[in-house]
Amino acid sequence: MKIMYGIQIMYSKAHQALDYVLSLTYRTHEETFQLLSSFGYVLEQKNPGTITDLQCDENGEFLYFFMPFGASVRGLQRCMRPFISIDGTHLKGRFGGTMFVATAQDGNEHVYPIAFRYGDSKNNLSWEWFLDNLKEVIS
C-alpha cells in the first residue's frame, strides 16, 4: 500500500482486509465446512475406489473427515513396500485441530500418501477412529 498508494497501514489492518477479500472470493470457513459432505460425494464419484467419511457431533458440528484416494489404495496394494507410516500434526489457525496422514514408501524410497484425516485434537479416540477407518480401507 505504501509503495503503490503512498499510504501507511498497520499489519493487522492489511491482514483483516486480506481475510475479507478472501472470504468474498472463496467463501468463509464456516461455508466451506458446510460443503464438506458435497466435496466428499464428488470426490467419490470422480475417483473410483475413494471412500470419504464425515463425522459430526450431535449438534451437527464437524468432528472428523477421513479420505483415502482410491488410486493411492490400489497403488499400496499392488506395488508399495509392506510398511505404513502414520503421523499426526497439530494444525495452527482459526479452527486448530489435527491432521493425521498415513503414507507408504515405494521402491525408490519416495513417500506415497495413502489417507488423510482432519479433525479435533490428538487423543486416543481420534487415533482409534483414524486407525479403524484405515484398517477398513487397506484390509
Side-chain angles (χ1 to χ4, degrees):
M1 291 297 292
K2 186 173 183 177
I3 293 170
M4 290 182 71
Y5 302 107
I7 300 171
Q8 180 73 32
I9 62 172
M10 293 176 25
Y11 177 82
S12 60
K13 282 288 184 193
H15 194 275
Q16 286 176 349
L18 177 63
D19 281 347
Y20 176 71
V21 170
L22 290 175
S23 72
L24 291 176
T25 306
Y26 300 109
R27 299 187 177 160
T28 64
H29 293 292
E30 291 81 6
E31 290 172 332
T32 55
F33 274 119
Q34 290 176 355
L35 296 173
L36 200 53
S37 62
S38 300
F39 170 74
Y41 174 77
V42 171
L43 198 60
E44 290 175 3
Q45 299 302 310
K46 298 295 180 183
N47 297 290
T50 298
I51 301 167
T52 59
D53 189 6
L54 174 65
Q55 294 289 317
C56 297
D57 65 6
E58 60 276 352
N59 298 324
E61 293 182 10
F62 172 77
L63 285 177
Y64 310 124
F65 183 70
F66 178 75
M67 75 178 174
F69 295 112
S72 294
V73 173
R74 286 189 302 277
L76 172 71
Q77 294 167 344
R78 293 182 183 148
C79 57
M80 294 297 126
R81 293 182 178 176
F83 178 78
I84 296 176
S85 176
I86 300 171
D87 196 10
T89 184
H90 293 284
L91 301 173
K92 295 184 179 183
R94 183 172 174 194
F95 293 99
T98 307
M99 179 176 75
F100 294 151
V101 180
T103 61
Q105 195 175 49
D106 66 9
N108 294 326
E109 299 184 9
H110 294 119
V111 175
Y112 186 82
I114 301 168
F116 303 91
R117 177 249 184 230
Y118 302 93
D120 63 358
S121 66
K122 238 180 170 178
N123 58 35
N124 289 343
L125 187 60
S126 296
W127 275 107
E128 185 177 329
W129 187 84
F130 176 67
L131 293 173
D132 285 343
N133 279 308
L134 185 62
K135 181 180 171 185
E136 279 184 42
V137 169
I138 63 173
S139 60

